[in-house]
Amino acid sequence: MSHGDSGDRAAPVTSLTEPLGDGSREPAPVDGPTEKCGVVGIALEDRDAARPLYYSLYALQHRGQDSAGIATHDGFQQHNHIEMGLVGDAFTQSDLDDLAGSAGIGHVRYPTAGGVNARCAQPFSVSFKSGALGLAHNGNLVNADDIRDELASSGHAFTSEGDTEVIAHDLARNLLESDLIRAVKRTMSRIHGSYSLTVMHDDTVIGVRDPGGNRPLCIGELEDGYVIASESAAIDTLDGELVRDVRPGELVVLDGDGSGFDSYQLFEADNTAHCFFEHVYFARPDSVIDDTLVYEARRSLGRALWDEAGVDSDVVMPVPDSGRAFASGYADAAGEDGADVEFAEGLMKNRYVGRTFIMPTQDERERAVRLKLNPIRSTVEGKSVTLIDDSIVRGTTSTQLVQLLRDAGAEEVHVRIGAPAIIAPCYMGIDMATREELIAADRSVEEVREEIGADSLSYLSVDAVAGALSSTKADLCLGCVTGEYPYDIDGEAADREVSRPTVGEPSPADD
């Protein structure tokens, strides 16, 4: 699938495909960690890829709700459609009909770098001397500003603050000097941070995962082609079969006729840096990530939570929806130990309330939880309740839920969290608040318990998380719960020997 060595020297990108309008707006404040992004790439034998891409983005909608986009290539030219909003609102039937070609990539976005506007929506497209390039990115670069400054000084014009555009420009520059494989390797040797990419160079679709494997990416086989996606749930939606995860540091090139794929292991690291929060919160429970079904991982985390911090109570209930599998595993483990604990759905979720509803006053903001969750009084009245959730970030929602259960008649409210306390921000693509906003950053467990008003509070230990995920701490990214990161981040401690590339130095020699 090589595109050959053009022999042309690096030159500035000549034009950019700019999405429609600006559409700038501020993201709505939320109490929990917010989704990252979802990416997909497809190559089919002889049918258009637009609708399979559209269905895949629907399956990945939980990973980003601010924009959605698809880029396809028909063998002659690239076609793009990108809009702000949900997948179902971003595309009409005529939009999909206009996206011709059997190869394409797609993206759903929640911004963690670059703002909330159409200029930062993806896939990001570049037209340059060696053809058309489309790129969709899940993750976050640590050294994007350094590379942007270097590229800008050599004539590259940027239209956004996003790190995705930095990757696209750097790759475009390298494609002027090298074939596709070498160009990707050169770019990977310069960028530092977390990234899972789907890229389309003309009608060739590739997938790339950073050497730490921080963000998920997998390969699926369809009847007439192959798909690369952030989660296996997208493959299931297309009636496909999961082949395997894209390995950390691997480049996967899909055959243009949909008959297979080629693999290139470009970089290898001593340890991975898988984001443990994918299993705790972000991924769909029915997805398989790094050989582990997310639902079973969450049940295992719940069982470990009982083993470490079980408390006798009348009722165990989840915070819907993310706490459900934890609570199920917790209740099962409790029953096996002879505890007389009932698993019950004590909070009902209003699924018609999104993240962006307007709460102009403090009183209304405090009431926001009642719009989303309502207690079943008969389940909690006069009972001791254990409330299971995946995490506590700012603590606002936990405080309101504890009070909600007390108002419904609960005699005791014990809170159990299926992850360690979040004490530090995430730099790898999760919007998880600043240290100043994190309730556990400068408080003990007892102080957090008092702040949220619970009778008791316990988190899951880091060791239990590693055990439940059949991993080791050395192979996980645990920065948000330890304050030590698997990447070289300014002002932060590292949990391993790691240093970012020095921008401006020549790329390592190609193998």
Side-chain angles (χ1 to χ4, degrees):
M1 288 293 166
S2 169
H3 285 251
D5 232 335
S6 68
D8 295 320
R9 302 306 299 166
V13 173
T14 56
S15 66
L16 299 176
T17 302
E18 185 170 329
L20 300 174
D22 179 86
S24 298
R25 58 188 174 87
E26 290 295 320
V30 291
D31 184 40
T34 46
E35 291 86 348
K36 297 160 295 195
C37 298
V39 301
V40 61
I42 290 177
L44 301 174
E45 182 180 359
D46 60 1
R47 64 181 169 116
D48 284 345
R51 277 178 174 75
L53 287 165
Y54 175 71
Y55 300 143
S56 298
L57 293 183
Y58 252 117
L60 299 173
Q61 183 75 88
H62 60 288
R63 299 187 68 88
Q65 299 89 47
D66 280 293
S67 67
I70 291 174
T72 62
H73 202 286
D74 63 7
F76 299 97
Q77 63 178 325
Q78 182 174 300
H79 307 272
N80 306 275
H81 184 83
I82 302 168
E83 290 284 356
M84 302 300 293
L86 300 173
V87 174
D89 299 324
F91 299 93
T92 65
Q93 182 170 322
S94 62
D95 294 330
L96 295 175
D97 290 340
D98 291 339
L99 291 167
S102 60
I105 60 175
H107 189 268
V108 287
R109 182 172 189 260
Y110 178 87
T112 57
V116 188
N117 58 67
R119 283 194 299 270
C120 292
Q122 300 179 37
F124 196 88
S125 296
V126 178
S127 298
F128 66 115
K129 200 170 184 179
S130 287
L133 184 70
L135 190 146
H137 174 209
N138 171 207
N140 206 53
L141 299 188
V142 173
N143 65 341
D145 290 343
D146 295 338
I147 298 175
R148 182 187 290 107
D149 290 344
E150 181 203 65
L151 291 171
S153 68
S154 64
H156 290 253
F158 289 86
T159 63
S160 74
E161 295 300 314
D163 52 359
T164 303
E165 186 176 3
V166 171
I167 302 173
H169 275 261
D170 195 79
L171 182 55
R173 181 179 68 170
N174 289 328
L175 282 166
L176 292 173
E177 299 181 306
S178 304
D179 63 35
L180 181 60
I181 309 306
R182 290 184 177 88
V184 170
K185 186 172 184 178
R186 289 178 178 179
T187 293
M188 289 178 70
S189 73
R190 285 166 46 82
I191 61 179
H192 185 64
S194 66
Y195 53 91
S196 281
L197 309 173
T198 53
V199 182
M200 186 170 61
H201 183 213
D202 290 335
D203 57 353
T204 297
V205 173
I206 69 172
V208 182
R209 197 175 183 191
D210 82 73
N214 188 256
R215 301 270 74 87
L217 197 65
C218 59
I219 310 165
E221 182 178 2
L222 310 178
E223 284 189 359
D224 58 346
Y226 280 81
V227 56
I228 305 167
S230 291
E231 296 184 31
S232 64
I235 299 169
D236 295 337
T237 298
L238 302 179
D239 294 325
E241 181 178 345
L242 174 65
V243 176
R244 61 172 175 84
D245 294 292
V246 176
R247 301 182 185 100
E250 183 183 18
L251 162 66
V252 173
V253 183
L254 302 186
D255 292 344
D257 59 2
S259 61
F261 64 89
D262 293 321
S263 166
Y264 302 84
Q265 190 66 47
L266 300 184
F267 291 90
E268 293 194 43
D270 293 334
N271 294 99
T272 60
H274 297 314
C275 173
F276 84 97
F277 233 80
E278 288 286 351
H279 288 98
V280 168
Y281 179 78
F282 289 114
R284 277 177 45 160
D286 52 333
S287 286
V288 175
I289 292 181
D290 297 317
D291 298 320
T292 301
L293 178 64
V294 173
Y295 176 77
E296 290 301 334
R298 291 178 186 167
R299 278 182 48 83
S300 295
L301 291 165
R303 296 179 68 89
L305 189 58
W306 168 262
D307 292 338
E308 286 194 339
V311 58
D312 285 332
S313 63
D314 299 316
V315 178
V316 174
M317 66 176 61
V319 176
D321 291 312
S322 56
R324 187 166 287 116
F326 295 94
S328 172
Y330 180 97
D332 281 356
E336 291 169 9
D337 280 352
D340 186 16
V341 177
E342 175 191 3
F343 173 84
E345 297 281 359
L347 292 168
M348 288 295 105
K349 185 175 183 178
N350 180 353
R351 302 182 186 281
Y352 296 94
V353 176
R355 294 190 295 107
T356 57
F357 57 85
I358 298 170
M359 293 286 138
T361 68
Q362 179 62 28
D363 179 64
E364 287 177 305
R365 283 192 291 271
E366 290 175 356
R367 291 180 179 273
V369 71
R370 290 301 295 266
L371 283 175
K372 288 190 172 183
L373 296 168
N374 198 42
I376 299 176
R377 185 173 293 270
S378 61
T379 300
V380 303
E381 190 170 18
K383 297 178 181 177
S384 60
V385 174
T386 299
L387 185 66
I388 309 286
D389 205 356
D390 59 89
S391 60
I392 299 177
V393 181
R394 293 173 177 86
T396 305
T397 297
S398 299
T399 302
Q400 294 173 336
L401 288 177
V402 169
Q403 187 59 50
L404 196 66
L405 294 175
R406 293 199 189 281
D407 291 344
E411 291 187 353
E412 296 177 358
V413 181
H414 304 276
V415 176
R416 295 294 180 268
I417 303 298
I422 298 172
I423 62 170
C426 176
Y427 298 92
M428 299 299 108
I430 301 174
D431 188 6
M432 201 181 274
T434 64
R435 273 189 174 83
E436 292 73 25
E437 295 172 306
L438 294 169
I439 191 172
D442 58 357
R443 293 179 177 88
S444 67
V445 175
E446 176 58 23
E447 288 171 332
V448 175
R449 180 206 65 77
E450 185 174 355
E451 182 75 17
I452 67 174
D455 290 283
S456 71
L457 168 66
S458 286
Y459 298 92
L460 195 59
S461 70
V462 171
D463 287 335
V465 168
L469 298 183
S470 301
S471 184
T472 65
K473 289 186 287 185
D475 285 326
L476 297 173
C477 180
L478 296 160
C480 62
V481 298
T482 65
E484 297 181 344
Y485 299 86
Y487 298 92
D488 182 4
I489 300 169
D490 289 337
E492 301 288 1
D495 65 3
R496 62 196 69 187
E497 290 293 327
V498 61
S499 61
R500 70 177 71 181
T502 302
V503 175
E505 290 187 352
S507 299
D510 297 318
D511 293 332

